[in-house]
Amino acid sequence: MTHILVTNDDGVFSPGLIALKRALEPMGRVSVIAPDRNRSAIARGITIHTPLHVEQVELDDGSVAYSTDGTPVDCVRFAMLGLLDGVPDVVVSGINMGLNMGDDVTYSGTVAAALEGVLLGWPAIAVSQQHIGDPDDQWDGRHYEFDAVCRFVPRLVPLITEHPFPRHVLLNVNAPARPAHDPPRARVTRLGRRIYNDALVLEGTDGLRRRYTIYGERPGYHAEEGTDFAALEVGEISVSPLHFELTDEQGLDALSGLLADHGLGHAGEHQ
Ligand code: MN
């Protein structure tokens, strides 16, 4: 029986997490280890300077979950290191309340947890849901409709657990607020590019300390065919295969040439 680890970055009591857990239960055994509070935008942060606390808590469906004061990545580490009875076969992170597309993925705790899964050699999926209605209420579960993505993700899981699929690749799933098709249709995409509309806003002063907000305006994006943003535009679920290979091939060549030309290295040394 498939053992699925469910985690998130919105906190163990997030409506998105319980929706995902319920959707995956017909697939096998579902274990939940999640942060005890909202740790969104913490990316791949880990807790190294203090011990971590773990508590068993009861979810809305009466089941028991592990709540920790660690980060999403810490939660996946806990599973690997034996907190659960048995090591999971697959990591599913979410359902995040809010999209994680384009450049967002580098800040996202939801995607970070899935990345930890593939780094540990497990198939992994990150799932995020677009909000409906007032963006100022983005943490309020009533403004998210999880039905379509909850029908899609359980069908996606066996595709990467039961079929040959590169183990270092995670699937980043983003679902539109109002899918254009029923059943929902998905599109394989690459990451698009965000346009962040952030501004330095001085909120007040307190002696020598100044208080700013620097993130605020809703971000836009570059409209480009084939991207995650383009899929959402037409009401389809976006699925982007992502990996953690950060080394740039062009950069290797360009840097080797520069170092060699200036007597600081050897051309082609990286090869
Ligand atoms: Mn989140």
Coordinates of all heavy atoms in Angstrom, one line a residue, residues 243-258 267-271:
H243 N 13.3 20.7 -11.1 CA 14.4 19.9 -10.4 C 15.3 20.9 -9.7 O 15.1 22.1 -9.7 CB 15.2 19.1 -11.4 CG 16.0 19.9 -12.4 ND1 17.0 20.7 -12.2 CD2 15.8 19.9 -13.8 CE1 17.4 21.3 -13.3 NE2 16.7 20.8 -14.3
F244 N 16.3 20.4 -9.0 CA 17.1 21.2 -8.1 C 18.5 21.5 -8.7 O 19.4 21.9 -8.0 CB 17.2 20.5 -6.7 CG 17.6 21.4 -5.6 CD1 16.8 22.5 -5.3 CD2 18.8 21.2 -4.9 CE1 17.2 23.3 -4.2 CE2 19.2 22.0 -3.9 CZ 18.3 23.1 -3.5
E245 N 18.7 21.1 -10.0 CA 20.0 21.4 -10.6 C 20.2 22.9 -10.8 O 19.6 23.4 -11.7 CB 20.1 20.6 -11.9 CG 21.4 20.8 -12.6 CD 22.6 20.5 -11.8 OE1 22.9 19.3 -11.6 OE2 23.3 21.4 -11.4
L246 N 21.0 23.5 -10.0 CA 21.1 25.0 -10.0 C 22.3 25.4 -10.8 O 22.4 26.6 -11.2 CB 21.2 25.6 -8.6 CG 19.9 25.4 -7.8 CD1 20.2 25.9 -6.4 CD2 18.7 26.0 -8.4
T247 N 23.2 24.5 -11.1 CA 24.4 24.9 -11.8 C 24.1 25.3 -13.3 O 23.4 24.5 -13.9 CB 25.5 23.7 -11.9 OG1 25.7 23.3 -10.5 CG2 26.8 24.2 -12.4
D248 N 24.6 26.4 -13.7 CA 24.3 26.8 -15.1 C 25.4 26.4 -16.1 O 26.6 26.8 -15.9 CB 24.1 28.3 -15.1 CG 23.6 28.8 -16.4 OD1 22.4 28.7 -16.7 OD2 24.5 29.3 -17.3
E249 N 25.0 25.7 -17.1 CA 26.0 25.2 -18.1 C 26.7 26.3 -18.9 O 27.9 26.3 -19.0 CB 25.3 24.3 -19.1 CG 24.8 23.0 -18.5 CD 25.9 22.1 -17.9 OE1 27.0 22.1 -18.5 OE2 25.7 21.4 -16.9
Q250 N 25.9 27.3 -19.3 CA 26.5 28.4 -20.0 C 27.5 29.2 -19.1 O 28.5 29.7 -19.5 CB 25.4 29.4 -20.5 CG 24.6 28.9 -21.7 CD 23.6 29.9 -22.1 OE1 23.2 30.7 -21.3 NE2 23.2 29.8 -23.3
G251 N 27.1 29.3 -17.8 CA 27.9 30.0 -16.8 C 29.2 29.2 -16.6 O 30.3 29.8 -16.5
L252 N 29.2 27.9 -16.7 CA 30.4 27.1 -16.5 C 31.4 27.5 -17.6 O 32.6 27.8 -17.4 CB 30.1 25.6 -16.6 CG 29.6 24.9 -15.4 CD1 29.2 23.5 -15.7 CD2 30.5 25.0 -14.2
D253 N 30.9 27.5 -18.9 CA 31.8 27.8 -20.0 C 32.3 29.2 -20.0 O 33.5 29.5 -20.1 CB 31.0 27.6 -21.3 CG 30.7 26.1 -21.5 OD1 31.5 25.3 -21.0 OD2 29.8 25.8 -22.3
A254 N 31.4 30.2 -19.7 CA 31.7 31.6 -19.7 C 32.7 31.9 -18.6 O 33.7 32.6 -18.8 CB 30.5 32.4 -19.5
L255 N 32.5 31.3 -17.4 CA 33.4 31.5 -16.3 C 34.8 30.9 -16.5 O 35.8 31.5 -16.2 CB 32.8 31.0 -15.0 CG 33.5 31.3 -13.7 CD1 33.7 32.8 -13.5 CD2 32.8 30.6 -12.5
S256 N 34.8 29.7 -17.1 CA 36.1 29.0 -17.4 C 36.9 29.9 -18.3 O 38.1 30.1 -18.1 CB 35.9 27.6 -18.0 OG 35.3 26.8 -17.1
G257 N 36.2 30.4 -19.4 CA 36.9 31.2 -20.3 C 37.5 32.5 -19.7 O 38.6 32.9 -19.9
L258 N 36.7 33.1 -18.9 CA 37.1 34.4 -18.2 C 38.3 34.1 -17.3 O 39.3 34.9 -17.3 CB 36.0 34.9 -17.4 CG 35.0 35.9 -18.0 CD1 33.9 36.3 -17.1 CD2 35.7 37.1 -18.5
A267 N 41.1 26.9 -19.0 CA 39.9 26.7 -19.9 C 39.5 25.2 -19.8 O 40.3 24.3 -19.9 CB 40.3 27.1 -21.3
G268 N 38.2 25.1 -19.7 CA 37.6 23.7 -19.7 C 37.9 22.9 -18.5 O 37.7 21.7 -18.4
E269 N 38.3 23.6 -17.4 CA 38.6 22.9 -16.2 C 37.4 22.1 -15.6 O 37.6 21.1 -15.0 CB 39.1 23.9 -15.1 CG 39.7 23.2 -13.9 CD 40.2 24.2 -12.8 OE1 39.6 25.3 -12.8 OE2 41.1 23.8 -12.1
H270 N 36.2 22.6 -15.9 CA 35.1 22.0 -15.3 C 34.7 20.6 -15.9 O 33.9 19.9 -15.4 CB 33.9 22.9 -15.3 CG 33.4 23.2 -16.7 ND1 34.0 24.2 -17.5 CD2 32.5 22.6 -17.4 CE1 33.4 24.2 -18.6 NE2 32.4 23.3 -18.7
Q271 N 35.4 20.4 -17.1 CA 34.9 19.2 -17.9 C 35.6 17.9 -17.5 O 36.5 17.8 -16.8 CB 35.1 19.4 -19.4 CG 34.0 20.4 -19.9 CD 34.4 21.1 -21.2 OE1 35.6 20.8 -21.7 NE2 33.6 21.9 -21.7

